[in-house]
Amino acid sequence: MNASGRLMEVTGRCHCRAISYRASVDPEKAGICHCTDCQTLSGSAYRVSIPAPAETFQLLTGQPKVYIKTAESGNQRAHAFCPDCGSPVYASAISDPPAYTLRIGGLDQRALLPPRRQIWCKSAVPWSASIEDIPKLARQ
Ligand SMILES: [Zn+2]
Ligand SMILES: [Zn+2]
Protein backbone atom coordinates (compact mmCIF):
# COMPACT_ATOMS: atom_id res chain seq x y z
CA MET A 1 0.00 0.00 0.00
CA ASN A 2 1.20 3.52 -0.72
CA ALA A 3 0.84 6.61 1.41
CA SER A 4 -2.70 7.12 0.18
CA GLY A 5 -3.45 3.48 0.91
CA ARG A 6 -4.33 2.66 -2.65
CA LEU A 7 -2.88 0.47 -5.31
CA MET A 8 -2.99 1.75 -8.89
CA GLU A 9 -4.48 -0.40 -11.63
CA VAL A 10 -2.10 -0.69 -14.56
CA THR A 11 -2.34 -2.25 -17.99
CA GLY A 12 0.50 -3.14 -20.30
CA ARG A 13 1.51 -4.75 -23.53
CA CYS A 14 4.53 -5.63 -25.61
CA HIS A 15 5.38 -3.71 -28.76
CA CYS A 16 3.77 -6.22 -31.18
CA ARG A 17 0.72 -6.42 -28.88
CA ALA A 18 0.72 -10.22 -28.71
CA ILE A 19 1.22 -10.03 -24.94
CA SER A 20 -1.03 -7.94 -22.72
CA TYR A 21 -1.50 -7.93 -18.98
CA ARG A 22 -2.90 -6.04 -16.06
CA ALA A 23 -1.91 -5.68 -12.42
CA SER A 24 -2.08 -3.41 -9.40
CA VAL A 25 1.00 -1.54 -8.21
CA ASP A 26 2.04 0.74 -5.38
CA PRO A 27 3.28 3.89 -7.21
CA GLU A 28 5.74 4.56 -4.38
CA LYS A 29 7.67 1.45 -5.38
CA ALA A 30 8.67 2.56 -8.87
CA GLY A 31 12.45 2.51 -9.08
CA ILE A 32 15.49 2.73 -11.30
CA CYS A 33 18.10 -0.02 -11.36
CA HIS A 34 21.57 0.82 -12.62
CA CYS A 35 22.99 -2.71 -12.34
CA THR A 36 24.93 -3.99 -15.34
CA ASP A 37 22.46 -6.86 -15.86
CA CYS A 38 19.61 -4.36 -16.21
CA GLN A 39 21.68 -2.30 -18.64
CA THR A 40 22.33 -5.34 -20.85
CA LEU A 41 18.89 -6.92 -20.57
CA SER A 42 17.03 -3.66 -21.20
CA GLY A 43 19.40 -2.48 -23.92
CA SER A 44 19.43 0.89 -22.22
CA ALA A 45 21.38 2.91 -19.66
CA TYR A 46 19.17 1.75 -16.77
CA ARG A 47 15.90 0.00 -16.16
CA VAL A 48 12.76 1.42 -14.57
CA SER A 49 10.47 -1.13 -12.91
CA ILE A 50 7.67 -1.51 -10.42
CA PRO A 51 6.63 -4.65 -8.53
CA ALA A 52 3.07 -5.96 -8.70
CA PRO A 53 1.88 -8.38 -6.00
CA ALA A 54 1.49 -11.78 -7.71
CA GLU A 55 -2.19 -12.04 -6.86
CA THR A 56 -2.87 -8.83 -8.83
CA PHE A 57 -0.96 -9.82 -11.97
CA GLN A 58 -3.02 -11.23 -14.80
CA LEU A 59 -1.71 -12.21 -18.19
CA LEU A 60 -4.52 -11.35 -20.62
CA THR A 61 -3.13 -12.46 -23.97
CA GLY A 62 -0.01 -14.13 -25.31
CA GLN A 63 2.68 -16.21 -23.69
CA PRO A 64 6.04 -14.70 -22.78
CA LYS A 65 9.28 -16.58 -23.23
CA VAL A 66 11.32 -16.83 -20.04
CA TYR A 67 15.05 -16.38 -19.72
CA ILE A 68 16.58 -17.53 -16.44
CA LYS A 69 19.24 -15.12 -15.29
CA THR A 70 21.82 -16.31 -12.79
CA ALA A 71 23.34 -13.48 -10.77
CA GLU A 72 26.89 -13.41 -9.40
CA SER A 73 25.38 -14.38 -6.06
CA GLY A 74 23.94 -17.53 -7.65
CA ASN A 75 20.44 -16.10 -7.24
CA GLN A 76 18.21 -16.89 -10.19
CA ARG A 77 15.46 -14.74 -11.67
CA ALA A 78 12.98 -15.44 -14.43
CA HIS A 79 12.95 -12.69 -17.06
CA ALA A 80 9.84 -12.78 -19.24
CA PHE A 81 9.80 -11.19 -22.67
CA CYS A 82 7.81 -11.36 -25.89
CA PRO A 83 9.29 -14.09 -28.14
CA ASP A 84 8.25 -12.13 -31.24
CA CYS A 85 9.15 -8.49 -30.57
CA GLY A 86 11.54 -8.92 -27.64
CA SER A 87 9.85 -6.42 -25.31
CA PRO A 88 10.68 -7.16 -21.67
CA VAL A 89 7.54 -7.80 -19.63
CA TYR A 90 8.51 -8.72 -16.08
CA ALA A 91 11.04 -10.41 -13.84
CA SER A 92 10.14 -12.71 -10.96
CA ALA A 93 11.31 -15.51 -8.74
CA ILE A 94 11.47 -18.79 -10.65
CA SER A 95 8.88 -20.63 -8.58
CA ASP A 96 5.90 -19.38 -6.60
CA PRO A 97 6.79 -15.68 -7.11
CA PRO A 98 5.41 -13.25 -4.52
CA ALA A 99 5.55 -10.44 -7.09
CA TYR A 100 6.11 -9.68 -10.75
CA THR A 101 8.44 -6.75 -11.35
CA LEU A 102 6.89 -5.00 -14.32
CA ARG A 103 8.92 -2.95 -16.78
CA ILE A 104 7.63 0.61 -16.72
CA GLY A 105 8.03 1.13 -20.46
CA GLY A 106 5.37 -1.49 -21.21
CA LEU A 107 2.74 0.09 -18.98
CA ASP A 108 0.08 2.44 -20.34
CA GLN A 109 0.33 4.44 -17.08
CA ARG A 110 4.11 4.91 -17.19
CA ALA A 111 3.90 8.72 -17.21
CA LEU A 112 2.17 8.53 -13.82
CA LEU A 113 4.85 6.36 -12.25
CA PRO A 114 7.96 8.46 -11.63
CA PRO A 115 10.77 6.46 -10.01
CA ARG A 116 11.15 6.97 -6.25
CA ARG A 117 14.65 5.58 -5.78
CA GLN A 118 17.73 4.39 -7.63
CA ILE A 119 19.68 1.26 -6.80
CA TRP A 120 23.05 -0.13 -7.93
CA CYS A 121 24.30 3.43 -8.45
CA LYS A 122 27.90 2.22 -8.26
CA SER A 123 27.50 0.80 -11.79
CA ALA A 124 25.46 3.70 -13.21
CA VAL A 125 26.76 5.04 -16.52
CA PRO A 126 28.16 8.44 -15.51
CA TRP A 127 26.10 10.49 -17.99
CA SER A 128 22.76 9.02 -16.95
CA ALA A 129 22.43 11.46 -14.04
CA SER A 130 22.44 14.60 -16.20
CA ILE A 131 20.28 14.16 -19.33
CA GLU A 132 18.39 17.35 -18.43
CA ASP A 133 21.14 19.43 -20.07
CA ILE A 134 21.19 17.51 -23.36
CA PRO A 135 19.59 19.46 -26.25
CA LYS A 136 15.97 18.43 -26.78
CA LEU A 137 13.69 18.07 -29.80
CA ALA A 138 9.96 17.40 -29.53
CA ARG A 139 10.30 14.67 -32.16
CA GLN A 140 13.23 13.10 -33.96
ZN1 LIG B 1 5.50 -8.67 -28.71
ZN1 LIG C 1 19.19 -4.28 -12.08
Side-chain angles (χ1 to χ4, degrees):
M1 291 294 175
N2 60 20
S4 63
R6 292 224 319 262
L7 293 177
M8 180 192 291
E9 296 272 328
V10 293
T11 49
R13 70 209 74 253
C14 69
H15 191 265
C16 78
R17 297 180 167 260
I19 294 172
S20 62
Y21 45 96
R22 69 173 169 222
S24 297
V25 298
D26 176 349
E28 296 298 317
K29 292 188 175 167
I32 288 174
C33 183
H34 292 284
C35 84
T36 55
D37 284 347
C38 280
Q39 290 166 358
T40 304
L41 284 162
S42 70
S44 190
Y46 52 82
R47 171 135 59 192
V48 194
S49 305
I50 189 164
E55 65 274 16
T56 73
F57 179 77
Q58 194 180 2
L59 193 61
L60 299 173
T61 59
Q63 191 59 53
K65 184 172 167 59
V66 173
Y67 168 69
I68 305 296
K69 185 197 91 171
T70 304
E72 270 178 54
S73 63
N75 193 33
Q76 292 192 312
R77 294 273 288 171
H79 285 254
F81 60 97
C82 175
D84 292 321
C85 71
S87 304
V89 177
Y90 65 78
S92 71
I94 292 178
S95 60
D96 200 19
Y100 292 88
T101 303
L102 306 178
R103 286 32 183 129
I104 291 270
L107 300 179
D108 297 318
Q109 296 78 12
R110 55 189 176 266
L112 305 174
L113 296 165
R116 304 296 192 186
R117 66 175 186 154
Q118 305 181 61
I119 60 173
W120 285 97
C121 291
K122 71 173 190 176
S123 49
V125 291
W127 49 261
S128 67
S130 55
I131 64 168
E132 185 61 25
D133 296 333
I134 301 171
K136 301 181 182 76
L137 304 174
R139 299 179 72 99
Q140 69 179 0

